[in-house]
Every structure is written in C-alpha cells, then in structure tokens.
Short mmCIF file of all heavy atoms in Angstrom, two decimals:
data_model
loop_
_atom_site.label_atom_id
_atom_site.label_comp_id
_atom_site.label_asym_id
_atom_site.label_seq_id
_atom_site.Cartn_x
_atom_site.Cartn_y
_atom_site.Cartn_z
N VAL A 74 7.61 -17.46 -0.48
CA VAL A 74 8.10 -16.19 0.07
C VAL A 74 7.04 -15.12 -0.15
O VAL A 74 6.21 -15.21 -1.06
CB VAL A 74 9.46 -15.75 -0.53
CG1 VAL A 74 10.60 -16.61 0.01
CG2 VAL A 74 9.43 -15.76 -2.05
N LEU A 75 7.08 -14.10 0.73
CA LEU A 75 6.10 -13.03 0.74
C LEU A 75 6.78 -11.72 0.37
O LEU A 75 7.87 -11.41 0.87
CB LEU A 75 5.51 -12.90 2.15
CG LEU A 75 4.66 -11.68 2.45
CD1 LEU A 75 3.29 -11.78 1.76
CD2 LEU A 75 4.48 -11.50 3.96
N LEU A 76 6.12 -10.93 -0.48
CA LEU A 76 6.64 -9.61 -0.81
C LEU A 76 6.29 -8.63 0.30
O LEU A 76 5.12 -8.48 0.65
CB LEU A 76 6.06 -9.11 -2.12
CG LEU A 76 6.67 -7.78 -2.57
CD1 LEU A 76 8.05 -7.97 -3.17
CD2 LEU A 76 5.75 -7.04 -3.52
N VAL A 77 7.29 -7.95 0.85
CA VAL A 77 7.06 -6.91 1.84
C VAL A 77 7.69 -5.61 1.35
O VAL A 77 8.65 -5.62 0.58
CB VAL A 77 7.62 -7.29 3.23
CG1 VAL A 77 6.83 -8.46 3.82
CG2 VAL A 77 9.10 -7.62 3.17
N ALA A 78 7.11 -4.48 1.78
CA ALA A 78 7.53 -3.17 1.30
C ALA A 78 7.88 -2.29 2.48
O ALA A 78 7.17 -2.26 3.48
CB ALA A 78 6.40 -2.55 0.48
N GLN A 79 8.98 -1.57 2.35
CA GLN A 79 9.46 -0.71 3.44
C GLN A 79 8.99 0.72 3.23
O GLN A 79 9.26 1.33 2.20
CB GLN A 79 11.00 -0.74 3.50
CG GLN A 79 11.55 -0.04 4.73
CD GLN A 79 13.06 -0.11 4.78
OE1 GLN A 79 13.74 0.00 3.76
NE2 GLN A 79 13.61 -0.27 5.97
N ARG A 80 8.28 1.25 4.20
CA ARG A 80 7.70 2.59 4.09
C ARG A 80 8.78 3.67 4.14
O ARG A 80 9.75 3.54 4.87
CB ARG A 80 6.69 2.83 5.20
CG ARG A 80 5.46 1.97 5.06
CD ARG A 80 4.36 2.46 5.95
NE ARG A 80 3.86 3.77 5.52
CZ ARG A 80 2.59 4.00 5.15
NH1 ARG A 80 1.70 3.03 5.15
NH2 ARG A 80 2.22 5.20 4.79
N GLN A 81 8.57 4.74 3.37
CA GLN A 81 9.45 5.90 3.52
C GLN A 81 8.75 7.07 4.18
O GLN A 81 9.36 8.07 4.53
CB GLN A 81 10.08 6.31 2.19
CG GLN A 81 9.21 6.37 0.98
CD GLN A 81 10.05 6.55 -0.28
OE1 GLN A 81 11.28 6.59 -0.22
NE2 GLN A 81 9.42 6.65 -1.43
N ARG A 82 7.43 6.95 4.39
CA ARG A 82 6.67 7.98 5.10
C ARG A 82 5.41 7.36 5.68
O ARG A 82 5.04 6.27 5.26
CB ARG A 82 6.32 9.13 4.14
CG ARG A 82 5.47 8.67 2.96
CD ARG A 82 5.11 9.82 2.02
NE ARG A 82 4.15 9.33 1.04
CZ ARG A 82 4.51 8.72 -0.09
NH1 ARG A 82 5.77 8.55 -0.38
NH2 ARG A 82 3.58 8.27 -0.91
N PRO A 83 4.72 8.01 6.61
CA PRO A 83 5.12 9.22 7.35
C PRO A 83 6.30 8.92 8.28
O PRO A 83 6.66 7.75 8.45
CB PRO A 83 3.85 9.55 8.14
CG PRO A 83 3.20 8.23 8.38
CD PRO A 83 3.48 7.43 7.13
N PRO A 84 6.88 9.95 8.88
CA PRO A 84 8.09 9.75 9.69
C PRO A 84 7.97 8.66 10.75
O PRO A 84 8.92 7.90 10.96
CB PRO A 84 8.30 11.13 10.35
CG PRO A 84 7.67 12.10 9.41
CD PRO A 84 6.51 11.39 8.77
N GLU A 85 6.80 8.55 11.37
CA GLU A 85 6.66 7.55 12.45
C GLU A 85 6.62 6.11 11.93
O GLU A 85 6.79 5.17 12.69
CB GLU A 85 5.44 7.86 13.33
CG GLU A 85 4.10 7.73 12.64
CD GLU A 85 3.64 9.02 11.96
OE1 GLU A 85 4.48 9.94 11.75
OE2 GLU A 85 2.45 9.11 11.63
N LEU A 86 6.39 5.94 10.62
CA LEU A 86 6.37 4.59 10.05
C LEU A 86 7.54 4.35 9.09
O LEU A 86 7.72 3.24 8.61
CB LEU A 86 5.05 4.36 9.29
CG LEU A 86 3.77 4.36 10.13
CD1 LEU A 86 2.55 4.16 9.24
CD2 LEU A 86 3.81 3.31 11.23
N ALA A 87 8.33 5.36 8.82
CA ALA A 87 9.44 5.23 7.88
C ALA A 87 10.41 4.16 8.36
O ALA A 87 10.78 4.12 9.53
CB ALA A 87 10.16 6.57 7.70
N GLY A 88 10.81 3.29 7.45
CA GLY A 88 11.75 2.22 7.80
C GLY A 88 11.07 0.94 8.24
O GLY A 88 11.71 -0.10 8.32
N LEU A 89 9.75 1.01 8.51
CA LEU A 89 9.02 -0.19 8.89
C LEU A 89 8.44 -0.87 7.64
O LEU A 89 8.29 -0.25 6.60
CB LEU A 89 7.89 0.16 9.88
CG LEU A 89 8.34 0.81 11.19
CD1 LEU A 89 7.14 1.13 12.07
CD2 LEU A 89 9.32 -0.09 11.93
N TRP A 90 8.14 -2.15 7.78
CA TRP A 90 7.70 -2.96 6.64
C TRP A 90 6.20 -3.22 6.71
O TRP A 90 5.62 -3.32 7.79
CB TRP A 90 8.48 -4.27 6.62
CG TRP A 90 9.94 -4.03 6.37
CD1 TRP A 90 10.88 -3.66 7.31
CD2 TRP A 90 10.63 -4.10 5.13
NE1 TRP A 90 12.11 -3.50 6.70
CE2 TRP A 90 11.99 -3.76 5.37
CE3 TRP A 90 10.24 -4.41 3.81
CZ2 TRP A 90 12.94 -3.74 4.35
CZ3 TRP A 90 11.19 -4.40 2.80
CH2 TRP A 90 12.54 -4.05 3.07
N GLU A 91 5.59 -3.37 5.53
CA GLU A 91 4.15 -3.56 5.45
C GLU A 91 3.79 -4.40 4.24
O GLU A 91 4.61 -4.64 3.35
CB GLU A 91 3.45 -2.20 5.34
CG GLU A 91 3.73 -1.50 4.01
CD GLU A 91 2.94 -0.21 3.82
OE1 GLU A 91 2.15 0.16 4.72
OE2 GLU A 91 3.12 0.44 2.77
N LEU A 92 2.53 -4.82 4.22
CA LEU A 92 1.93 -5.32 3.00
C LEU A 92 1.47 -4.08 2.22
O LEU A 92 0.76 -3.24 2.77
CB LEU A 92 0.72 -6.21 3.29
CG LEU A 92 0.98 -7.49 4.08
CD1 LEU A 92 -0.32 -8.28 4.23
CD2 LEU A 92 2.06 -8.35 3.46
N PRO A 93 1.89 -3.94 0.95
CA PRO A 93 1.55 -2.74 0.20
C PRO A 93 0.06 -2.66 -0.12
O PRO A 93 -0.63 -3.67 -0.18
CB PRO A 93 2.38 -2.87 -1.08
CG PRO A 93 2.64 -4.33 -1.22
CD PRO A 93 2.71 -4.88 0.18
N GLY A 94 -0.43 -1.45 -0.33
CA GLY A 94 -1.84 -1.25 -0.65
C GLY A 94 -2.22 0.20 -0.47
O GLY A 94 -1.37 1.08 -0.53
N GLY A 95 -3.51 0.44 -0.25
CA GLY A 95 -3.95 1.81 -0.07
C GLY A 95 -5.45 1.91 0.10
O GLY A 95 -6.14 0.90 0.26
N LYS A 96 -5.93 3.14 0.05
CA LYS A 96 -7.33 3.42 0.36
C LYS A 96 -8.26 3.07 -0.81
O LYS A 96 -7.91 3.28 -1.97
CB LYS A 96 -7.50 4.90 0.72
CG LYS A 96 -6.83 5.27 2.02
CD LYS A 96 -6.96 6.76 2.30
CE LYS A 96 -6.33 7.09 3.65
NZ LYS A 96 -6.29 8.55 3.90
N VAL A 97 -9.43 2.57 -0.44
CA VAL A 97 -10.48 2.32 -1.42
C VAL A 97 -11.20 3.64 -1.68
O VAL A 97 -11.66 4.31 -0.76
CB VAL A 97 -11.48 1.27 -0.90
CG1 VAL A 97 -12.59 1.02 -1.91
CG2 VAL A 97 -10.76 -0.04 -0.56
N ALA A 98 -11.27 4.02 -2.96
CA ALA A 98 -11.94 5.27 -3.33
C ALA A 98 -13.46 5.07 -3.33
O ALA A 98 -13.94 3.95 -3.48
CB ALA A 98 -11.46 5.73 -4.70
N PRO A 99 -14.22 6.16 -3.17
CA PRO A 99 -15.68 6.05 -3.22
C PRO A 99 -16.14 5.41 -4.53
O PRO A 99 -15.66 5.77 -5.60
CB PRO A 99 -16.15 7.51 -3.14
CG PRO A 99 -15.04 8.24 -2.48
CD PRO A 99 -13.79 7.55 -2.90
N GLY A 100 -17.04 4.44 -4.43
CA GLY A 100 -17.56 3.78 -5.62
C GLY A 100 -16.66 2.71 -6.22
O GLY A 100 -17.01 2.09 -7.21
N GLU A 101 -15.51 2.50 -5.62
CA GLU A 101 -14.55 1.52 -6.13
C GLU A 101 -14.67 0.23 -5.33
O GLU A 101 -14.86 0.26 -4.12
CB GLU A 101 -13.14 2.12 -5.96
CG GLU A 101 -12.02 1.36 -6.61
CD GLU A 101 -10.67 2.07 -6.44
OE1 GLU A 101 -10.41 2.64 -5.36
OE2 GLU A 101 -9.88 2.03 -7.38
N SER A 102 -14.56 -0.92 -5.98
CA SER A 102 -14.56 -2.17 -5.23
C SER A 102 -13.21 -2.35 -4.54
O SER A 102 -12.21 -1.75 -4.94
CB SER A 102 -14.83 -3.36 -6.16
OG SER A 102 -13.67 -3.66 -6.92
N GLU A 103 -13.19 -3.17 -3.50
CA GLU A 103 -11.92 -3.40 -2.79
C GLU A 103 -10.88 -4.03 -3.71
O GLU A 103 -9.72 -3.67 -3.70
CB GLU A 103 -12.17 -4.26 -1.55
CG GLU A 103 -12.98 -3.50 -0.51
CD GLU A 103 -13.32 -4.33 0.72
OE1 GLU A 103 -12.71 -5.39 0.92
OE2 GLU A 103 -14.21 -3.91 1.48
N ALA A 104 -11.34 -4.97 -4.55
CA ALA A 104 -10.40 -5.62 -5.48
C ALA A 104 -9.84 -4.63 -6.48
O ALA A 104 -8.63 -4.61 -6.75
CB ALA A 104 -11.09 -6.78 -6.20
N ASP A 105 -10.71 -3.78 -7.02
CA ASP A 105 -10.24 -2.77 -7.99
C ASP A 105 -9.25 -1.81 -7.34
O ASP A 105 -8.26 -1.40 -7.96
CB ASP A 105 -11.42 -1.98 -8.55
CG ASP A 105 -12.24 -2.78 -9.57
OD1 ASP A 105 -11.77 -3.85 -10.01
OD2 ASP A 105 -13.35 -2.33 -9.91
N ALA A 106 -9.54 -1.43 -6.11
CA ALA A 106 -8.64 -0.52 -5.39
C ALA A 106 -7.27 -1.15 -5.19
O ALA A 106 -6.24 -0.50 -5.38
CB ALA A 106 -9.25 -0.15 -4.03
N LEU A 107 -7.27 -2.43 -4.84
CA LEU A 107 -6.00 -3.11 -4.59
C LEU A 107 -5.19 -3.25 -5.88
O LEU A 107 -3.98 -3.01 -5.90
CB LEU A 107 -6.26 -4.47 -3.94
CG LEU A 107 -5.06 -5.18 -3.34
CD1 LEU A 107 -4.22 -4.27 -2.44
CD2 LEU A 107 -5.52 -6.42 -2.57
N VAL A 108 -5.87 -3.59 -6.97
CA VAL A 108 -5.20 -3.67 -8.28
C VAL A 108 -4.58 -2.30 -8.63
O VAL A 108 -3.42 -2.22 -9.02
CB VAL A 108 -6.18 -4.14 -9.37
CG1 VAL A 108 -5.58 -3.93 -10.77
CG2 VAL A 108 -6.53 -5.61 -9.16
N ARG A 109 -5.37 -1.24 -8.46
CA ARG A 109 -4.89 0.10 -8.78
C ARG A 109 -3.71 0.51 -7.90
O ARG A 109 -2.69 1.01 -8.40
CB ARG A 109 -6.05 1.10 -8.61
CG ARG A 109 -5.65 2.56 -8.83
CD ARG A 109 -6.82 3.51 -8.59
NE ARG A 109 -7.47 3.34 -7.29
CZ ARG A 109 -6.96 3.75 -6.13
NH1 ARG A 109 -5.77 4.33 -6.07
NH2 ARG A 109 -7.63 3.57 -4.99
N GLU A 110 -3.84 0.29 -6.60
CA GLU A 110 -2.78 0.70 -5.68
C GLU A 110 -1.48 -0.07 -5.94
O GLU A 110 -0.39 0.51 -5.90
CB GLU A 110 -3.22 0.49 -4.23
CG GLU A 110 -4.25 1.51 -3.75
CD GLU A 110 -3.64 2.88 -3.44
OE1 GLU A 110 -2.41 3.00 -3.40
OE2 GLU A 110 -4.43 3.82 -3.22
N LEU A 111 -1.58 -1.38 -6.19
CA LEU A 111 -0.36 -2.15 -6.41
C LEU A 111 0.28 -1.83 -7.76
O LEU A 111 1.49 -1.88 -7.91
CB LEU A 111 -0.62 -3.65 -6.26
CG LEU A 111 -1.07 -4.08 -4.85
CD1 LEU A 111 -1.10 -5.60 -4.73
CD2 LEU A 111 -0.20 -3.49 -3.76
N ARG A 112 -0.55 -1.44 -8.73
CA ARG A 112 0.00 -0.97 -10.00
C ARG A 112 0.78 0.32 -9.77
O ARG A 112 1.89 0.49 -10.29
CB ARG A 112 -1.13 -0.76 -11.01
CG ARG A 112 -0.65 -0.52 -12.44
CD ARG A 112 -1.85 -0.36 -13.36
NE ARG A 112 -2.52 -1.64 -13.58
CZ ARG A 112 -3.84 -1.78 -13.79
NH1 ARG A 112 -4.63 -0.71 -13.76
NH2 ARG A 112 -4.36 -2.96 -13.99
N GLU A 113 0.20 1.24 -8.97
CA GLU A 113 0.87 2.52 -8.70
C GLU A 113 2.13 2.33 -7.86
O GLU A 113 3.16 2.95 -8.12
CB GLU A 113 -0.09 3.46 -7.96
CG GLU A 113 -1.24 3.98 -8.82
CD GLU A 113 -2.29 4.71 -8.00
OE1 GLU A 113 -2.08 4.95 -6.78
OE2 GLU A 113 -3.36 5.04 -8.56
#
C-alpha cells in the first residue's frame, strides 16, 4: 500500500491527493530536503 496525503491548500488543490514533499532549499540535497519535508 502507498501513503497518500490530502491537500488543504491552496484552494485549487484542496481536497486532492498527492505524494507528500516540498521544495529543495538552496544548498540542500534532494534527499535531505525530502527527509526534512516528510519530518515536518
């Protein structure tokens, strides 16, 4: 089974489902960014 997350914002995406994650910060590796975002 796959974990999916339902967005609460922005309004045009609220209620839709996604793979959770977020933006990679400057100087951050993609893996580090993903670890940080999923922790948050």
Side-chain angles (χ1 to χ4, degrees):
V74 287
L75 169 73
L76 185 77
V77 293
Q79 189 179 38
R80 292 194 67 120
Q81 44 190 2
R82 61 179 188 274
E85 65 271 16
L86 295 178
L89 300 179
W90 295 82
E91 68 175 359
L92 298 183
K96 292 177 177 173
V97 179
E101 189 177 38
S102 75
E103 292 177 16
D105 285 348
L107 193 49
V108 168
R109 176 183 53 75
E110 287 283 350
L111 296 189
R112 190 178 288 148
E113 290 170 8

